[in-house]
Amino acid sequence: MRQFITLFMLTLMVVACDSESSKFKLKGRFRNFNQGEFYIYAEGAQGYGMDTIKVADGRFSYSKEVKMPTTMVMVFPNFSTQPVFAIPGKEVEMKVDASHLKEMEITGTEDNELMTLFRKRTAEMTPPERNREIEKVVKEHPSSPVALWIVERWMIKDQTPDYATAARLMNIMIKGGNNETQLKKNIKAINELKKIEKGQLLPNFSAKDINGKKVNRKTLSAKVNIVAAWASWNYNSRDAQRRLNKLKKQMGDTLAIIGICLDANKEECLKWMRRDSVKWPQVCDGKMWQGQLATQMAVHTVGANIIADSKGKIVARDVAPHDLEKKIKELLRK
């Protein structure tokens, strides 16, 4: 009996140690933000979900079990986002003035410190100057997730993307030992994005929405038309859905929308549609980014969107949630 208890206790200790060694910890303090909350989710990783981080007396603490190095995204009350690079068993500390989020400092791992340095260096730079700094980071740190993040953020997802430079830098990352599988997918995605970028026509498509009804190119025949990708576990994309819902109620038939839900679970998609009272067609085939419509529309990020005029000409891509209303009203005035 004593041997059994000893073995049982040792097993508990081993499990506890394993659990602790796989946890990533983030702690920090804010200036000018004493009480409130912000959100965090894992970039491109299904199953982690979105967590709420509570801030009390300007301080917070958060831990998450991660199985491998993971890029997590913090979403602040003003809807700005910042990455934090999580490594199992590591702890990082964040110091930030809520009125100057771009100047935040995250220390504790090389990648987070590299991102902090990049953030500070480029805070006041023009886009060409920033792009030169991005190239420098990629060449000096080709295997770092920071290199991948900044190329995706400012050369692919930006409203004035530079696909050619992004593809060239991603090839440098592949040679430097970065995530070859992901990078090759990204390069393929860039080639697809060129076919559906600003100035091009929406492709012909046909799909069934979550209720089994057919949607196609003719579904988008209003004065302003939007294809919006989202996922239940992504705060920013759900925020965009709510903003579009408000605009749809105001503008009626002058605004047409088709949603692409990137959830693997259709029931989860339906739950959030009902919760947010979303009425427009939603395509959710459970295949996430590999879905037919997501592929046709070159959707490779949660929150991606395409805005087209009445003739189907694409006038904007990947507009931030807080800029959607301004962009749509600007188009309606034309």
Side-chain angles (χ1 to χ4, degrees), residues 97-334:
D97 185 331
S99 59
H100 298 88
L101 288 173
K102 290 181 180 179
E103 297 176 11
M104 74 169 61
E105 293 185 7
I106 303 179
T107 57
T109 65
E110 289 183 9
D111 290 324
N112 284 297
E113 288 166 9
L114 176 61
M115 187 68 212
T116 294
L117 183 61
F118 173 83
R119 192 183 292 116
K120 287 183 175 181
R121 280 181 177 173
T122 59
E124 303 299 328
M125 285 185 177
T126 64
E129 290 172 333
R130 183 193 60 219
N131 287 354
R132 285 194 290 272
E133 189 67 24
I134 289 172
E135 184 153 355
K136 181 181 177 183
V137 171
V138 170
K139 289 179 177 178
E140 293 179 356
H141 307 273
S143 63
S144 172
V146 176
L148 182 54
W149 170 273
I150 59 180
V151 169
E152 287 182 342
R153 167 61 185 85
W154 280 287
M155 292 188 170
I156 298 177
K157 298 178 184 178
D158 196 70
Q159 289 191 15
T160 54
D162 185 349
Y163 296 135
T165 302
R168 177 172 60 81
L169 294 180
M170 285 183 177
N171 278 310
I172 291 174
M173 285 186 258
I174 290 173
K175 293 176 182 177
N178 211 315
N179 189 332
E180 183 174 355
T181 302
Q182 182 60 48
L183 285 162
K184 284 185 175 179
K185 285 182 181 178
N186 287 356
I187 292 170
K188 182 180 178 182
I190 287 171
N191 293 329
E192 292 169 357
L193 279 166
K194 289 177 182 177
K195 302 173 187 176
I196 312 178
E197 60 182 328
K198 187 175 178 180
Q200 302 292 328
L201 290 175
L202 282 172
N204 288 321
F205 65 91
S206 180
K208 286 187 177 181
D209 72 10
I210 202 163
N211 296 310
K213 294 182 179 179
K214 187 176 180 180
V215 293
N216 53 33
R217 174 66 185 78
K218 292 181 181 178
T219 308
L220 299 173
S221 56
K223 189 168 183 180
V224 177
N225 304 279
I226 298 178
V227 178
W230 67 285
S232 66
W233 40 268
N234 180 274
Y235 177 82
N236 259 13
S237 66
R238 292 207 327 265
D239 177 55
Q241 287 275 100
R242 287 189 286 269
R243 290 170 185 264
L244 286 173
N245 205 7
K246 178 183 175 183
L247 291 168
K248 177 64 177 170
K249 289 175 182 176
Q250 292 174 357
M251 299 170 185
D253 293 339
T254 59
L255 177 62
I257 309 168
I258 292 178
I260 300 176
C261 180
L262 298 173
D263 279 10
N265 186 330
K266 293 183 182 181
E267 291 303 315
E268 197 68 20
C269 174
L270 279 168
K271 182 180 82 173
W272 283 95
M273 282 177 63
R274 295 188 189 109
R275 179 170 174 171
D276 292 339
S277 301
V278 171
K279 305 297 183 184
W280 57 81
Q282 295 283 349
V283 176
C284 181
D285 55 15
K287 296 180 181 179
M288 303 179 75
W289 286 273
Q290 282 70 51
Q292 182 181 348
L293 188 57
T295 301
Q296 282 183 288
M297 294 295 174
V299 169
H300 298 282
T301 58
V302 186
N305 56 57
I306 301 170
I307 302 179
D309 64 15
S310 58
K311 296 179 181 179
K313 182 180 178 180
I314 297 170
V315 294
R317 275 205 70 132
D318 302 332
V319 178
H322 54 279
D323 290 329
L324 276 170
E325 182 173 357
K326 180 182 177 182
K327 187 64 181 179
I328 291 168
K329 288 183 175 179
E330 175 188 308
L331 293 169
L332 287 172
R333 285 195 296 268
K334 290 183 178 179

